[in-house]
PDB file of all heavy atoms in Angstrom:
ATOM      1  N   ILE R  30      87.961 -27.618   8.205  1.00  0.00           N
ATOM      2  CA  ILE R  30      86.673 -27.473   8.943  1.00  0.00           C
ATOM      3  C   ILE R  30      86.249 -26.121   8.998  1.00  0.00           C
ATOM      4  O   ILE R  30      87.124 -25.122   9.053  1.00  0.00           O
ATOM      5  CB  ILE R  30      86.841 -28.012  10.415  1.00  0.00           C
ATOM      6  CG1 ILE R  30      85.539 -28.205  10.949  1.00  0.00           C
ATOM      7  CG2 ILE R  30      87.731 -27.150  11.206  1.00  0.00           C
ATOM      8  CD1 ILE R  30      85.466 -29.031  12.242  1.00  0.00           C
ATOM      9  N   LEU R  49      84.858 -26.241  -9.073  1.00  0.00           N
ATOM     10  CA  LEU R  49      83.759 -27.093  -8.778  1.00  0.00           C
ATOM     11  C   LEU R  49      83.481 -27.219  -7.323  1.00  0.00           C
ATOM     12  O   LEU R  49      84.431 -27.503  -6.524  1.00  0.00           O
ATOM     13  CB  LEU R  49      84.026 -28.536  -9.355  1.00  0.00           C
ATOM     14  CG  LEU R  49      83.130 -29.654  -8.851  1.00  0.00           C
ATOM     15  CD1 LEU R  49      81.695 -29.501  -9.472  1.00  0.00           C
ATOM     16  CD2 LEU R  49      83.654 -31.002  -9.295  1.00  0.00           C
ATOM     17  N   ASP R 106      59.405 -41.028  -0.688  1.00  0.00           N
ATOM     18  CA  ASP R 106      58.754 -39.935  -1.087  1.00  0.00           C
ATOM     19  C   ASP R 106      58.976 -38.683  -0.283  1.00  0.00           C
ATOM     20  O   ASP R 106      59.318 -37.532  -0.853  1.00  0.00           O
ATOM     21  CB  ASP R 106      57.227 -40.129  -1.082  1.00  0.00           C
ATOM     22  CG  ASP R 106      56.429 -38.947  -1.700  1.00  0.00           C
ATOM     23  OD1 ASP R 106      56.619 -38.644  -2.976  1.00  0.00           O
ATOM     24  OD2 ASP R 106      55.621 -38.313  -1.027  1.00  0.00           O
ATOM     25  N   ALA R 140      62.482 -44.908  -6.889  1.00  0.00           N
ATOM     26  CA  ALA R 140      62.471 -43.518  -6.510  1.00  0.00           C
ATOM     27  C   ALA R 140      63.694 -42.739  -7.030  1.00  0.00           C
ATOM     28  O   ALA R 140      63.552 -41.576  -7.453  1.00  0.00           O
ATOM     29  CB  ALA R 140      62.365 -43.422  -5.008  1.00  0.00           C
ATOM     30  N   TRP R 213      82.176 -52.633   8.780  1.00  0.00           N
ATOM     31  CA  TRP R 213      82.590 -51.163   8.208  1.00  0.00           C
ATOM     32  C   TRP R 213      83.783 -51.524   7.279  1.00  0.00           C
ATOM     33  O   TRP R 213      84.861 -50.954   7.489  1.00  0.00           O
ATOM     34  CB  TRP R 213      82.931 -50.235   9.292  1.00  0.00           C
ATOM     35  CG  TRP R 213      81.829 -49.815  10.143  1.00  0.00           C
ATOM     36  CD1 TRP R 213      80.437 -50.241  10.014  1.00  0.00           C
ATOM     37  CD2 TRP R 213      81.866 -48.942  11.264  1.00  0.00           C
ATOM     38  NE1 TRP R 213      79.744 -49.681  10.905  1.00  0.00           N
ATOM     39  CE2 TRP R 213      80.468 -48.812  11.709  1.00  0.00           C
ATOM     40  CE3 TRP R 213      82.740 -48.187  11.898  1.00  0.00           C
ATOM     41  CZ2 TRP R 213      80.065 -47.930  12.811  1.00  0.00           C
ATOM     42  CZ3 TRP R 213      82.456 -47.436  12.963  1.00  0.00           C
ATOM     43  CH2 TRP R 213      81.115 -47.256  13.351  1.00  0.00           C
ATOM     44  N   HIS R 239      78.572 -42.778  10.446  1.00  0.00           N
ATOM     45  CA  HIS R 239      78.029 -41.652  11.169  1.00  0.00           C
ATOM     46  C   HIS R 239      79.107 -40.940  11.950  1.00  0.00           C
ATOM     47  O   HIS R 239      78.788 -40.398  13.076  1.00  0.00           O
ATOM     48  CB  HIS R 239      76.953 -42.228  12.162  1.00  0.00           C
ATOM     49  CG  HIS R 239      75.764 -42.687  11.563  1.00  0.00           C
ATOM     50  ND1 HIS R 239      74.449 -42.547  12.106  1.00  0.00           N
ATOM     51  CD2 HIS R 239      75.485 -43.355  10.499  1.00  0.00           C
ATOM     52  CE1 HIS R 239      73.524 -43.129  11.290  1.00  0.00           C
ATOM     53  NE2 HIS R 239      74.154 -43.630  10.335  1.00  0.00           N
TER      54      HIS R 239
END
Side-chain angles (χ1 to χ4, degrees):
I30 191 164
L49 166 67
D106 183 64
W213 291 1
H239 292 217

